[in-house]
Amino acid sequence: MSRVYRLLEPGPVVMVTTAQKEQKNVMTMSWHTMMEFEPPLIGCVISNGDYTFNILKATKECVIAIPTVELAAKVVRVGNTSGRDIDKFKTFGLTAIPASQVRAPLIGECYANLECRVADMALVSKYNFFVLEVLKAWIDPAQKDPKTIHHRGKGVFMVAGDTIRLPSKMK
Amino acid sequence: MSRVYRLLEPGPVVMVTTAQKEQKNVMTMSWHTMMEFEPPLIGCVISNGDYTFNILKATKECVIAIPTVELAAKVVRVGNTSGRDIDKFKTFGLTAIPASQVRAPLIGECYANLECRVADMALVSKYNFFVLEVLKAWIDPAQKDPKTIHHRGKGVFMVAGDTIRLPSKMK
């Protein structure tokens, strides 16, 4: 759990799943930041216009799933549509896998999945800003060099490039 | 101003400058997220152990400067040291340029600089989380393809890679 920050700190586009009654949904999101190492806290903005917003407020559970560049086209389609209109898992061929701590599903195609519960809603009414606590983290060990995607606006994405190492004292 | 989010949304490591009385300081930071498009709001975590923390609380002003990979070694040195002990601008050869709206300086070597004031401290005591409003944004037009760096933990950085375009309806 103390290494979850390494997944999100570089700023990847992620998908957020929720579930309510029999219905599950997924959205695309990239306004997020780590807020604490352990237990890992994540702050994120989910617009009150998004279908996910009220579900997350009500259920207080979600999964943050991190896709790689191979999924980029699907990630964009997820972002272009609303769960009000379609079942995005079915429409885009994403595999919903039961999570262990929350009702929101994992996404089988993503290289990492973080099961989260809402820890703080103090800034929701003013900024649509949720603080999430990561309860459980899954990583696909088969993906050795996952290339995340990073949104630059209007459908332009940067794909994760080379890795460099420097003598940092940072955690 | 409405395009500031494109600078920070991909998740680059940034530097944060502050100034108090005659002393200016700079730190390295990568826990930040966009919170609003316009006026641009940025949420970020600055630890209460950092020298910057009390200065930012008192002055309510800072500059977020975005470096490229050419500056990576200096960025790490800035992160490894404290303004309590040294003048980091002098020690690391960073050029402090007067800003227009705030007393904190721009960093001449960075490809973008965002002059900010603290807009909300509601989550500072609980999470060291500051909400900043961007007052003015500077971009170096000479840097056509700035390669930002993205922290993966313990001195491992991903350098921005290729760009892809997809038919997104996202802003």
Side-chain angles (χ1 to χ4, degrees):
Chain A
M1 292 297 273
S2 65
R3 289 175 296 181
V4 163
Y5 77 97
R6 300 186 193 181
L7 300 170
L8 290 180
E9 191 167 320
V13 176
V14 301
M15 293 191 283
V16 181
T17 81
T18 46
Q20 193 171 36
K21 297 175 187 168
E22 295 307 303
Q23 201 182 13
K24 53 191 181 302
N25 189 39
V26 54
M27 65 173 281
T28 298
M29 191 254 288
S30 55
W31 284 11
H32 58 78
T33 179
M34 290 302 303
M35 293 181 69
E36 185 53 87
F37 289 106
E38 197 169 11
L41 296 181
I42 300 165
C44 64
V45 176
I46 291 178
S47 167
N48 55 16
D50 288 325
Y51 186 53
T52 294
F53 181 83
N54 283 325
I55 301 173
L56 185 58
K57 270 182 73 172
T59 64
K60 294 190 170 56
E61 294 181 348
C62 66
V63 167
I64 293 184
I66 310 179
T68 54
V69 65
E70 292 78 9
L71 278 181
K74 287 188 182 185
V75 171
V76 168
R77 284 184 212 125
V78 165
N80 284 349
T81 51
S82 173
R84 286 184 194 91
D85 309 317
I86 56 169
D87 176 339
K88 298 200 224 180
F89 280 90
K90 191 178 291 182
T91 304
F92 303 124
L94 294 170
T95 309
I97 296 175
S100 75
Q101 309 287 316
V102 300
R103 289 195 194 180
L106 314 177
I107 299 179
E109 290 76 12
C110 285
Y111 92 96
N113 281 275
L114 308 174
E115 301 185 22
C116 301
R117 69 170 180 82
V118 175
D120 199 321
M121 302 214 294
L123 294 192
V124 168
S125 60
K126 199 163 180 185
Y127 304 106
N128 299 330
F129 184 79
F130 293 83
V131 180
L132 309 174
E133 179 182 343
V134 180
L135 303 176
K136 192 164 181 74
W138 302 88
I139 299 182
D140 179 355
Q143 300 208 31
K144 291 299 181 199
D145 185 25
K147 295 292 186 192
T148 48
I149 55 175
H150 301 252
H151 194 224
R152 287 217 164 119
K154 293 187 179 293
V156 178
F157 296 85
M158 174 269 282
V159 181
D162 294 338
T163 294
I164 59 175
R165 285 162 201 279
L166 292 163
S168 172
K169 293 180 191 167
M170 285 181 269
K171 193 169 178 180
Chain B
M1 291 296 272
S2 66
R3 288 175 296 180
V4 163
Y5 77 97
R6 300 186 192 182
L7 300 170
L8 290 181
E9 191 167 321
V13 176
V14 302
M15 293 191 281
V16 181
T17 81
T18 47
Q20 193 171 37
K21 296 174 186 168
E22 295 307 303
Q23 201 182 15
K24 55 189 177 304
N25 189 39
V26 55
M27 66 173 281
T28 297
M29 190 254 289
S30 54
W31 284 10
H32 58 77
T33 179
M34 289 304 302
M35 293 180 70
E36 185 54 86
F37 289 107
E38 196 168 10
L41 296 182
I42 300 165
C44 63
V45 176
I46 291 177
S47 166
N48 55 16
D50 288 325
Y51 186 53
T52 295
F53 181 83
N54 283 325
I55 301 173
L56 184 58
K57 270 182 74 172
T59 64
K60 295 189 170 54
E61 292 181 348
C62 66
V63 166
I64 292 185
I66 309 178
T68 53
V69 64
E70 292 79 8
L71 278 181
K74 287 188 181 185
V75 171
V76 169
R77 284 184 213 124
V78 165
N80 283 348
T81 51
S82 172
R84 288 184 192 91
D85 309 317
I86 57 169
D87 177 337
K88 298 199 224 181
F89 280 91
K90 191 178 291 182
T91 305
F92 303 123
L94 294 170
T95 309
I97 297 176
S100 75
Q101 309 287 316
V102 299
R103 288 194 194 181
L106 313 177
I107 300 180
E109 289 77 11
C110 285
Y111 92 95
N113 282 274
L114 308 174
E115 301 186 23
C116 301
R117 72 170 178 81
V118 175
D120 198 323
M121 302 213 295
L123 294 192
V124 168
S125 61
K126 198 162 180 188
Y127 304 107
N128 299 329
F129 185 80
F130 293 83
V131 180
L132 309 174
E133 179 182 344
V134 180
L135 304 175
K136 194 167 179 73
W138 302 88
I139 298 182
D140 179 355
Q143 300 208 32
K144 291 298 179 198
D145 186 25
K147 295 292 186 192
T148 48
I149 56 175
H150 300 251
H151 194 225
R152 288 218 164 117
K154 294 188 178 291
V156 177
F157 297 86
M158 175 269 282
V159 181
D162 294 339
T163 294
I164 58 175
R165 284 161 203 277
L166 291 164
S168 172
K169 294 180 189 167
M170 285 182 270
K171 194 168 177 181

